[in-house]
Amino acid sequence: MRRIVLQAGNPFKTEYLNRTGAFNAEALIAATSIVEDVRERGDAALREYTEKFDGVRIEDFRVSKQAIDEAIVDVAPETAEALRQAASQIRDFHERQRQQSWFTVREDGALVGSKVEPLESVGIYVPGGRALYPSSVLMNALPAAVAGVKRIVCVTPPTKSGKLDPAILEACRIAGVTEIYSVGGAQAVAALAYGTETIEPVCKITGPGNAFVAAAKKVVSGDVGIDMIAGPSEVCVVADETAEPALVAIDLMAQAEHDPLASCYLVTFSESYADAVEAAVEKHMASTTRAEITASSLADQGLIVVCPDIPSAMEAVNVIAPEHLEIHMDHAFDLLGMIRNAGAIFLGAWTPEAVGDYVAGPNHTLPTGGTARYASPLSVDEFVKKSSVIQYSSAALANDASAVMTIARHEGLWAHAKSVELRCNLLKTGNLYGIEDSDE
Ligand SMILES: NC(=O)c1ccc[n+]([C@@H]2O[C@H](COP(=O)([O-])OP(=O)(O)OC[C@H]3O[C@@H](n4cnc5c(N)ncnc54)[C@H](O)[C@@H]3O)[C@@H](O)[C@H]2O)c1
Ligand SMILES: N[C@H](CO)Cc1c[nH]c[nH+]1
Ligand SMILES: [Zn+2]
């Protein structure tokens, strides 16, 4: 892993990251071409890209209800039980995010409020290239179900056999997914956004994916809603000498193993401790089943930052704005107030990021590429829309008329002012144009 040693007074800077952020030119160019092609050629394009990138020819992308209902027989009982436990804890957490419509009425009768409505439909992208993600089904479909979305569509890449992992189908059944299509990548995002002969378009696309999927979501954003840029995984581990190097090392590897483009950061306070963690990584590498992806990620994207003190370490974290932040220090909770930018925060030695990936309850679909500076974890909020509601009584209009007309006239918007004036005339004289306006 690359290493930077900060001196006192020399804060961590964005340019130290050599991160392209949410921008990936290669992926953007590829995704734009794929999206355009799917818009033009529909299912035929889906079939060609699936054959090209996933190595399998799919004639019918739609997964039948029978296949979904029967998938459970091919799911190991302990896996099915674990998915049910995860679903229960994820649902409980997201139920707390539910928002109610609200209204308030002023004394003069002016009613204002916000009407909360679930989206009519959502397409959830479940990754399936370098690993299979039934957990991502739960993390995207459950908040949609809690929000009350009636049409929940899942797209996910087919395996080489052309089938989908039964655990993904079972997770879809548990979470209430209504349609499943075995197609992934940018082409699946395009199908959700614009529709094909087989797939009806949706209102919004959520879910994580690789650089091509993240780029495709950016390309279609605007024609369809998107949740965030949830691209290749990231973890930043802040650790001091109290942290067991072998645990810090395995937590870094747990995100590196997702993708060669995954970014893993160690923020620590001495070069000797950094050496100990790197040695622990080497030791674990002898046992990993995902050596090539993990090694690429750590070598190409990995970074160790040695800081002189805790404030500079926390400022480095806020510049990195990681998808996942682990604090392996005593009294980790006390540092929460210093953290401004992170997707999910894991406190203490007993909280490996994996608990958040699967069962703790908070969403694992998280902002990457520095977007945690402004974006939040996927939540029920992403699956509802709000409408403002305003109802004025005549008394309320009379009270606000002068302010409205004054600003409207200042802005040179004649009809804005007149729309209030006519009503006020009606109130005062029973006549739209009032006595003084009788010659109009
Ligand atoms: N940010 C989050 O919340 C979060 C959560 C889970 C996973 N992830 C990330 O999701 C990603 C999953 O990636 P994945 O690759 O395993 O699965 P994926 O489903 O995202 O991507 C696989 C698809 O990419 C397409 N593809 C592959 N090579 C391509 C190419 N050269 N050009 C165009 N399209 C191509 C194929 O159609 C394939 O189906 C990882 O980066 C992981 O870190 C992020
Ligand atoms: N760590 C991933 C988010 O970047 C989520 C995940 C799913 N499965 C395993 N991990
Ligand atoms: Zn993970």
Side-chain angles (χ1 to χ4, degrees):
M1 293 173 76
R2 197 161 52 90
R3 188 180 295 196
I4 289 175
V5 181
L6 295 184
Q7 304 306 325
N10 166 20
F12 186 84
K13 298 184 180 73
T14 308
E15 54 264 29
Y16 294 167
L17 282 171
N18 86 7
R19 170 170 73 185
T20 59
F23 180 81
N24 176 321
E26 180 213 346
L28 212 48
I29 292 163
T32 304
S33 162
I34 291 168
V35 167
E36 227 171 5
D37 196 10
V38 171
R39 286 191 78 172
E40 286 295 311
R41 300 192 302 120
D43 284 348
L46 294 188
R47 286 192 190 94
E48 284 174 27
Y49 288 117
T50 302
E51 200 159 8
K52 177 178 178 184
F53 294 124
D54 302 302
V56 63
R57 175 91 185 161
I58 303 279
E59 290 308 327
D60 182 0
F61 295 102
R62 178 84 188 251
V63 178
S64 70
K65 185 174 181 323
Q66 185 186 352
I68 298 167
D69 293 343
E70 291 174 1
I72 182 69
V73 298
D74 295 322
V75 180
E78 63 275 18
T79 304
E81 177 50 36
L83 288 173
R84 286 191 289 271
Q85 179 192 339
S88 166
Q89 291 171 200
I90 294 165
R91 189 188 294 276
D92 284 354
F93 181 86
H94 289 82
E95 287 284 356
R96 296 167 187 276
Q97 296 174 339
R98 219 195 261 272
Q99 290 188 50
Q100 303 301 325
S101 301
W102 60 270
F103 301 91
T104 181
V105 183
R106 278 184 345 205
E107 277 179 24
D108 61 7
L111 173 148
V112 290
S114 178
K115 178 175 177 296
V116 179
E117 257 325 285
L119 300 181
E120 290 170 2
S121 61
V122 68
I124 65 173
Y125 185 88
V126 173
R130 294 187 175 86
L132 295 170
Y133 290 95
S135 56
S136 292
V137 173
L138 301 180
M139 292 289 182
N140 280 271
L142 285 170
V146 166
V149 178
K150 292 290 176 270
R151 181 175 174 238
I152 304 174
V153 180
C154 170
V155 291
T156 189
T159 59
K160 289 280 181 282
S161 70
K163 300 277 182 233
L164 292 186
D165 171 22
I168 284 190
L169 298 185
E170 175 59 6
C172 283
R173 191 191 63 77
I174 291 171
V177 169
T178 56
E179 294 163 49
I180 305 173
Y181 299 94
S182 48
V183 58
Q187 58 276 17
V189 170
L192 289 174
Y194 299 107
T196 68
E197 301 89 322
T198 305
I199 302 174
E200 281 298 306
V202 296
C203 301
K204 188 166 191 176
I205 301 170
T206 73
N210 65 16
F212 300 107
V213 170
K217 284 169 70 177
K218 284 173 84 166
V219 166
V220 303
S221 172
D223 284 336
V224 68
I226 67 167
D227 52 351
M228 70 185 84
I229 303 299
S233 298
E234 304 164 356
V235 67
C236 176
V237 180
V238 181
D240 63 9
E241 307 281 344
T242 64
E244 166 53 61
L247 293 182
V248 171
I250 199 70
D251 287 1
L252 290 168
M253 291 171 64
Q255 292 316 299
E257 71 177 356
H258 275 293
D259 192 318
L261 291 179
S263 301
C264 301
Y265 309 92
L266 169 63
V267 174
T268 191
F269 303 93
S270 74
E271 293 226 61
S272 59
Y273 186 80
D275 295 342
V277 171
E278 290 210 280
V281 168
E282 280 318 303
K283 199 167 172 203
H284 287 316
M285 283 303 286
S287 315
T288 175
T289 57
R290 294 172 72 88
E292 191 182 338
I293 297 175
T294 306
S296 298
S297 164
L298 293 176
D300 301 344
Q301 321 289 338
L303 175 65
I304 295 176
V305 186
V306 181
C307 298
D309 52 34
I310 288 178
S312 59
M314 291 297 114
E315 273 319 298
V317 164
N318 288 322
V319 171
I320 294 168
E323 177 196 9
H324 305 98
L325 172 63
E326 288 190 6
I327 307 284
H328 278 237
M329 295 168 70
D330 292 340
H331 312 300
F333 194 87
D334 297 347
L335 298 177
L336 215 44
M338 297 171 81
I339 301 163
R340 296 190 305 277
N341 303 324
I345 302 168
F346 300 79
L347 298 171
W350 302 107
T351 321
E353 201 251 275
V355 298
D357 284 347
Y358 297 120
V359 302
N363 212 289
H364 83 201
T365 304
L366 298 162
T368 59
T371 59
R373 286 174 295 113
Y374 60 81
S376 304
L378 185 64
S379 73
V380 172
D381 292 0
E382 294 288 349
F383 298 97
V384 298
K385 262 181 329 89
K386 292 162 192 154
S387 303
S388 300
V389 177
I390 303 170
Q391 178 184 277
Y392 263 43
S393 62
S394 54
L397 184 63
N399 283 342
D400 287 357
S402 167
V404 175
M405 290 191 285
T406 302
I407 299 170
R409 287 169 184 148
H410 177 83
E411 294 183 347
L413 296 172
W414 177 84
H416 282 62
K418 189 58 78 176
S419 69
V420 174
E421 187 186 332
L422 294 182
R423 287 174 171 82
C424 289
N425 289 342
L426 211 50
L427 282 175
K428 278 185 213 143
T429 65
N431 167 314
L432 264 182
Y433 295 95
I435 300 163
E436 63 274 17
D437 285 345
S438 55
D439 51 358
E440 277 203 38

